[in-house]
Amino acid sequence: MALLQISEPGQTPKPHARRLAVGIDLGTTHSLVAAVRDGAPWVIPDAEGRRLLPSIVRYGMDGNTEVGVNARAAAISDPVNTIISAKRLIGRGVEDIRERYQHLPYDFADNGSMVPVMRAGNRTVNAVEVSAEILRVLRKRAEAALGGELYGAVITVPAYFDDAQRQATKDAARLAGLNVLRLLNEPTAAAVAYGLDRGAGGHIAVYDLGGGTFDISILSLERGVFQVLATAGDTALGGDDFDGLIADWISRQDGMEVKDRSARRALIEAAIDAKERLSTEMAVELNVDLGAGKIWKGNLDRRTLEELVKPLIDRTLKICQRALRDSGLEKAEIDEVVMVGGSTRIPLVREKAGRLFGRAVLTDIDPDQVVALGAAVQADVLAGNKTADEMLLLDVTPLSLGIETMGGLVEKIIPRNSALPISRAQEFTTFKDGQTAMAIHVVQGEREMVSACRSLARFELRNIPPMLAGAARIRVTFQVDADGLLSVAAEELTTGVATSVQVKPSFGLSDAEISDMLEASVRNAAADQADRRLQEQKVAAERVLTALDTALRQDGALLDQQERVAIDEARAILLAAKEGADPAAIRQAVKSLEAASESFVMHRMNAGIRRAVAGHRIDEY
Ligand code: ADP
Ligand code: MG
């Protein structure tokens, strides 16, 4: 006879019926994973008891990859192959990165893709892959501790991350084998960790100064519902910049010349150590090993440190004021100020933020852990482990979204700081009589001119029946989901012709690219290089052939029989080589064709001169 399992009302009969869900703080400097246990969130440590995983990945020449503490140890000796700030690069284009960060030691390779890749170890990698390595370690850590496969994860992102950066973060999670329950803004997660959702309500400022980014969010809380009223930030301002200033200060002492990357990295490590100790001590001794037997000794006191970093802290305060303005609130209306991020351990940061908002700041929860803890709470809710509608979180669009209109102007459709999810539509019309297609260019940003905004996507609405200018009615609908990801639809209302796109940001990866990346970890780098050389030669061949064919069409008559045969022969050889797989053969064939065409080039020049002499301008031809 089967036994019935009996449980008291309110008790779960099967504890394993809980879905395993985690919150992950994927930080620039450190990453953490947390989960809810016995109703409370906790940060899951690794086997050695460490909670913070340095967000550092090292690619070895032997194809091995190290993540975390071991990788960090190698950052000094091997900076090119040790990627320490993937979060700063994720979802950005090469030019953007070059402009923002001049000091990065990485070896960016030009592979023609919009997604920047770096040569590291025996391969090339992009920021999505680096982030995936970090996420994979955290997933395994959690699965080992929780004893099973994860149902899903909430991953936090800076509130200021744009569409491309959010999408790239999701891609990284997918690569790492994680099911993303939701992307959550870091400051929102922190407010959840403080349980402010169960408080009396009011306005909360979340000040997050981490290693690589600064964010300020102004939240309102009413009847247990959060709404983000405004966010502002700087994706390139954080503790790393403090370290840079301190390192510069050290190298100014005694006029030390620090040129090579390893010595610079050693200086940075010394700066980090000094900075962190100065949060509790008034002065520290420095002992920097610059390699090659060079050792520098000196002292740094808190006052000097504060003088160095004050301008950066003041920059965060300016950004706070901007967010306050956007939120429409006065300082006096802020009820709580939450401190997030390791850099808020610096006493001057707490002091200045407190003075700005006119109140003591909240620091009870470890500022390194608070985001991951809040994400874990939210993950638990989204996995369905909590009853009832425990918490409804509303986030906002960090930047305005719109489309390009005539004259390169931007028509904003969803203004920044709109609560998510959101859907907005606007009608447009055709500009010319009989216009049968309309190009739709989706952009993101606050500026009026398209050229000053970020291009997200382009698509066309075709098959509009010919009508008089202004007669067609085209409705463009923007929809942003809870993760902040955009889809755009366009419809001609009189005929019902419609099209839509899931916006893939310009610097995002396609599904095909992602599966390629998975395969690429198996494929070896030498083959990649050969591929690329071949492609380059094919492109060069194509260019020469097109130019030649155009010239033949225009001036073929200038050639005599023998010249023509020589060109045709060389052309045929190049055509055949172009279909093959030997870059050297293609290059040779291009050279031969150029040689065979030399006399043709002369004939054309002479003919051009004759035409000019005949009273015409050469460009008329
Ligand atoms: P992120 O979210 O960007 O990964 P974290 O919140 O982990 O950043 O903060 C990391 C930054 O905090 C680093 O720049 C680190 O040097 C700094 N930090 C950590 N502890 C201290 C401390 N005691 N005093 C000053 N800065 C600290
Ligand atoms: Mg952080």
Side-chain angles (χ1 to χ4, degrees):
M1 198 172 74
L3 291 174
L4 285 177
Q5 189 175 5
I6 298 171
S7 58
E8 297 297 326
Q11 274 190 351
T12 340
K14 283 190 297 176
H16 296 297
R18 279 180 70 83
R19 285 169 165 168
L20 301 180
V22 295
I24 293 179
D25 174 2
L26 180 62
T28 314
T29 329
H30 300 117
S31 298
L32 307 82
V33 58
V36 170
R37 182 180 59 182
D38 302 329
W42 64 295
V43 172
I44 302 172
D46 67 6
E48 276 79 46
R50 291 176 295 227
R51 291 186 165 77
L52 299 183
L53 175 72
S55 304
I56 302 178
V57 181
R58 182 190 187 207
Y59 294 90
M61 283 310 196
D62 53 4
N64 282 332
T65 305
E66 285 176 311
V67 180
V69 177
N70 292 340
R72 181 175 171 159
I76 294 185
S77 57
D78 189 20
V80 178
N81 300 313
T82 309
I83 315 295
I84 59 165
S85 39
K87 190 173 178 178
R88 290 195 164 206
L89 313 180
I90 202 164
R92 290 191 191 282
V94 180
E95 289 310 315
D96 195 4
I97 291 169
R98 289 233 168 91
E99 221 167 83
R100 273 166 208 271
Y101 311 113
Q102 278 107 30
H103 288 305
L104 290 178
Y106 313 127
D107 185 5
F108 287 102
D110 179 11
N111 71 340
S113 159
M114 294 294 266
V115 180
V117 294
M118 295 157 272
R119 278 181 273 267
N122 65 352
R123 50 174 298 191
T124 59
V125 293
N126 61 45
V128 170
E129 292 171 295
V130 178
S131 301
E133 291 293 347
I134 296 161
L135 289 170
R136 197 173 291 125
V137 168
L138 294 176
R139 173 172 68 81
K140 289 191 177 145
R141 180 192 288 188
E143 285 176 344
L146 302 174
E149 203 172 298
L150 296 185
Y151 166 72
V154 166
I155 298 177
T156 59
V157 289
Y160 216 64
F161 256 25
D162 66 19
D163 215 67
Q165 292 164 306
R166 283 167 199 265
Q167 186 65 58
T169 303
K170 269 193 142 177
D171 291 342
R174 248 178 69 201
L175 264 182
L178 283 166
N179 168 32
V180 180
L181 299 171
R182 179 151 171 198
L183 298 179
L184 184 64
N185 284 340
E186 289 161 10
T188 311
V192 169
Y194 270 98
L196 295 175
D197 51 316
R198 294 188 295 276
H203 300 117
I204 303 151
V206 182
Y207 178 106
D208 179 351
L209 189 57
T213 56
F214 171 67
D215 283 300
I216 175 78
S217 298
I218 312 289
L219 314 175
S220 91
L221 174 61
E222 228 179 296
R223 291 185 296 277
V225 177
F226 275 115
Q227 189 173 358
V228 185
L229 296 179
T231 67
D234 188 333
T235 49
L237 173 58
D240 295 352
D241 303 296
F242 292 25
D243 306 338
L245 290 179
I246 299 165
D248 291 345
W249 178 86
I250 298 174
S251 63
R252 276 200 306 276
Q253 312 305 306
D254 291 352
M256 269 184 288
E257 280 243 23
V258 179
K259 280 206 184 116
D260 75 296
R261 291 165 172 179
S262 300
R264 173 80 190 166
R265 192 64 217 159
L267 266 185
I268 296 274
E269 291 290 334
I272 294 173
D273 180 55
K275 174 190 73 174
E276 296 186 354
R277 277 158 53 204
L278 284 170
S279 288
T280 47
E281 293 163 43
M282 295 309 291
V284 294
E285 253 175 52
L286 289 168
N287 216 326
V288 191
D289 185 350
L290 293 166
K294 271 203 298 185
I295 302 232
W296 183 80
K297 285 188 181 164
N299 290 296
L300 178 61
D301 61 21
R302 192 186 281 179
R303 178 74 61 79
T304 309
L305 170 89
E306 290 180 346
E307 284 303 319
L308 288 173
V309 301
K310 206 187 264 167
L312 294 181
I313 302 177
D314 288 341
R315 253 169 73 195
T316 70
L317 300 185
K318 282 229 172 64
I319 297 169
C320 289
Q321 277 162 335
R322 200 171 79 217
L324 256 181
R325 241 191 343 266
D326 280 353
S327 73
L329 297 176
E330 298 295 326
K331 278 179 206 167
E333 293 177 271
I334 301 293
D335 303 292
E336 299 284 5
V337 181
V338 177
M339 290 277 119
V340 180
S343 301
T344 63
R345 288 214 177 82
I346 297 174
L348 186 66
V349 170
R350 294 178 172 187
E351 192 186 309
K352 282 193 167 247
R355 213 180 304 141
L356 175 79
F357 288 103
R359 56 179 35 262
V361 297
L362 286 181
T363 54
D364 302 343
I365 302 180
D366 186 327
D368 290 327
Q369 298 188 8
V370 61
V371 168
L373 294 172
V377 171
Q378 180 74 164
D380 201 41
V381 173
L382 289 171
N385 294 331
K386 284 264 164 71
T387 48
D389 39 17
E390 193 83 358
M391 183 175 12
L392 178 60
L393 287 181
L394 296 177
D395 282 340
V396 296
T397 52
L399 297 167
S400 299
L401 295 161
I403 66 172
E404 174 172 356
T405 57
M406 291 301 297
L409 295 174
V410 179
E411 179 70 26
K412 291 188 181 124
I413 295 186
I414 296 184
R416 76 200 191 94
N417 284 328
S418 301
L420 300 184
I422 187 173
S423 173
R424 283 270 178 95
Q426 196 156 318
E427 277 185 30
F428 296 88
T429 191
T430 45
F431 177 71
K432 281 193 211 142
D433 287 347
Q435 192 177 333
T436 58
M438 182 160 160
I440 294 173
H441 181 199
V442 182
V443 297
Q444 182 170 43
E446 304 316 310
R447 307 280 293 277
E448 297 304 321
M449 299 299 297
V450 166
S451 52
C453 288
R454 182 163 197 187
S455 171
L456 288 184
R458 288 172 195 273
F459 67 103
E460 265 187 23
L461 179 61
R462 285 196 204 107
N463 304 322
I464 304 172
M467 288 182 241
L468 287 178
R473 289 173 53 213
I474 292 147
R475 183 201 281 149
V476 177
T477 308
F478 276 46
Q479 207 172 345
V480 186
D481 69 14
D483 294 326
L485 298 175
L486 171 69
S487 11
V488 179
E491 184 183 5
E492 201 291 303
L493 295 174
T494 58
T495 55
V497 175
T499 183
S500 71
V501 286
Q502 171 84 49
V503 172
K504 263 294 184 185
S506 307
F507 301 112
L509 300 162
S510 67
D511 288 353
E513 279 173 306
I514 295 220
S515 49
D516 278 359
M517 273 156 35
L518 284 167
E519 281 166 29
S521 51
V522 189
R523 220 192 302 142
N524 72 44
D528 282 342
Q529 290 293 327
D531 256 16
R532 195 181 137 195
R533 272 198 301 276
L534 179 61
Q535 280 314 319
E536 282 170 355
Q537 290 307 324
K538 285 189 175 185
V539 169
E542 195 59 51
R543 209 168 33 229
V544 169
L545 286 167
T546 311
L548 174 69
D549 288 351
T550 308
L552 283 174
R553 230 176 301 119
Q554 290 170 347
D555 293 324
L558 298 173
L559 293 169
D560 66 31
Q561 177 79 20
Q562 198 186 346
E563 289 167 329
R564 180 68 195 227
V565 167
I567 288 179
D568 282 347
E569 260 170 13
R571 184 177 174 280
I573 290 171
L574 178 56
L575 274 176
K578 190 166 81 74
E579 296 314 311
D582 181 359
I586 302 177
R587 183 202 295 267
Q588 187 50 50
V590 166
K591 279 206 179 124
S592 309
L593 180 56
E594 279 169 354
S597 312
E598 241 164 40
S599 59
F600 184 32
V601 173
M602 290 304 289
H603 290 324
R604 295 191 81 208
M605 272 170 60
N606 293 338
I609 290 165
R610 279 198 303 275
R611 284 172 198 141
V613 168
H616 295 282
R617 284 185 327 181
I618 202 158
D619 59 6
E620 283 179 50
Y621 298 89

